Amino acid sequence: MANKYLDNVRTNPSTGEREFYFPMELKDPADKEYARLSGLEIGMARLGFRKFEAIFIPCLEKSVDAHGNEVFLKTPSDVQRRIYKALCKDELDEQEDIKQDGRCNIPDGRGGTKRCPLRIPNPAFVPGGDAPKTLPVRCQGCKYEPFKQAHTVVEMSCLDSENDDGEVTTYEVPSPRSYYAADRYEELREQFLAFVKERKPKLLPLAELLTDELTKSEASRELGDAWGTVTSRTDKLKELLTEFLENIISL
């Protein structure tokens, strides 16, 4: 199985409908035990430009049976697709940031500039032919290569400076305006969670995860709730947050 990649989208041979599976990357040995107990498939996955070992989670709506066990529900293909795209969004957005990192700003032909594209149309492309529709844009040999931007991650040592005598001055990160901003955030977080617990206790578990900087996709998996449920509850939390902040400001 190590050399075979499992499909994220498959066709059910019985119904002919497409079924969607979200490849959740295996990062902990306990994940494999969870997959075994849940009867979920494990294999090599491809998502965007990344390849990794993953648990394939059916993109189905869920419920809880009379014994308290989580069960998957029959879900239309179009709803499965929405769930799949929502779960993949964070990973694909992060990959897009990586791909765009360091791309040059080049003339757009109209007196302005544009970000150098990752791919351009292939002039040899013919529908139904073997040639790919687009070609990758490579930096090697490009006339703008001498002006190529550095990647956004810079080693701190690169910021050291040297004077005329050859003496090196180590770069020191300026202190932030609010040195205790993290402590203040934790204080406000606890106050907001107490506010949610008093007003809408059902939303407290989601509020705890989101204020711990989990994404909605991660919170959905952690809580075992459908994407639509997490999204609607997040909207309610935004309303509570606005009310909470107004009270803080008025005080």
Side-chain angles (χ1 to χ4, degrees):
M1 189 64 70
N3 296 321
K4 181 180 179 182
Y5 295 97
L6 301 180
D7 292 329
N8 299 343
V9 184
R10 312 169 191 178
T11 300
N12 188 312
S14 300
T15 64
E17 294 184 352
R18 292 197 302 169
E19 296 178 341
F20 292 78
Y21 295 82
F22 170 66
M24 185 177 76
E25 185 173 5
L26 276 170
K27 296 182 178 180
D28 191 289
D31 292 339
K32 284 192 175 182
E33 182 63 14
Y34 162 77
R36 186 185 68 81
L37 294 174
S38 303
L40 300 175
E41 189 174 23
I42 294 176
M44 292 302 297
R46 287 180 293 190
L47 185 60
F49 61 69
R50 291 191 61 227
K51 302 172 183 177
F52 48 88
E53 189 176 19
I55 302 173
F56 285 78
I57 310 292
C59 295
L60 303 174
E61 295 179 322
K62 301 176 184 177
S63 185
V64 177
D65 63 19
H67 303 288
N69 300 315
E70 188 178 78
V71 293
F72 291 112
L73 304 176
K74 182 175 175 58
T75 307
S77 183
D78 60 330
V79 176
Q80 289 189 44
R81 182 175 181 273
R82 280 204 303 272
I83 295 173
Y84 174 77
K85 290 177 70 69
L87 292 174
C88 293
K89 185 178 185 304
D90 293 331
E91 168 69 24
L92 294 179
D93 284 350
E94 185 175 342
Q95 289 188 25
E96 186 62 25
D97 290 341
I98 292 172
K99 289 191 292 185
Q100 292 292 347
D101 185 25
R103 303 297 294 183
C104 299
N105 288 319
I106 61 175
D108 63 2
R110 299 187 296 274
T113 59
K114 64 179 181 180
R115 181 69 61 89
C116 179
L118 293 167
R119 303 185 69 87
I120 57 174
N122 182 3
F125 170 74
V126 177
D130 296 331
K133 190 172 184 178
T134 61
L135 297 172
V137 176
R138 305 191 186 282
C139 297
Q140 292 80 4
C142 174
K143 63 181 180 180
Y144 299 108
E145 186 177 5
F147 311 104
K148 181 175 171 58
Q149 304 172 46
H151 287 275
T152 55
V153 177
V154 181
E155 298 291 337
M156 292 290 291
S157 59
C158 295
L159 302 177
D160 296 346
S161 58
E162 184 177 325
N163 61 22
D164 294 336
D165 298 324
E167 298 173 336
V168 176
T169 302
T170 302
Y171 176 78
E172 295 184 1
V173 181
S175 298
R177 290 196 307 172
S178 179
Y179 188 79
Y180 299 101
D183 293 335
R184 178 56 176 157
Y185 174 78
E186 286 297 324
E187 180 183 340
L188 285 173
R189 176 180 183 271
E190 293 304 318
Q191 292 177 14
F192 175 62
L193 292 178
F195 181 78
V196 173
K197 184 177 181 179
E198 179 182 349
R199 300 292 299 276
K200 297 285 184 181
K202 189 175 181 180
L203 301 179
L204 182 60
L206 177 59
E208 291 174 337
L209 295 177
L210 294 180
T211 54
D212 266 340
E213 300 186 4
L214 271 71
T215 64
K216 287 193 292 183
S217 297
E218 292 168 335
S220 175
R221 296 195 295 270
E222 186 77 17
L223 297 172
D225 289 334
W227 169 257
T229 300
V230 170
T231 299
S232 63
R233 290 181 177 177
T234 300
D235 291 339
K236 294 176 183 177
L237 280 173
K238 289 178 181 178
E239 296 175 2
L240 286 177
L241 178 61
T242 300
E243 184 180 348
F244 169 75
L245 292 175
E246 288 175 348
N247 290 336
I248 290 291
I249 294 172
S250 65
L251 293 175

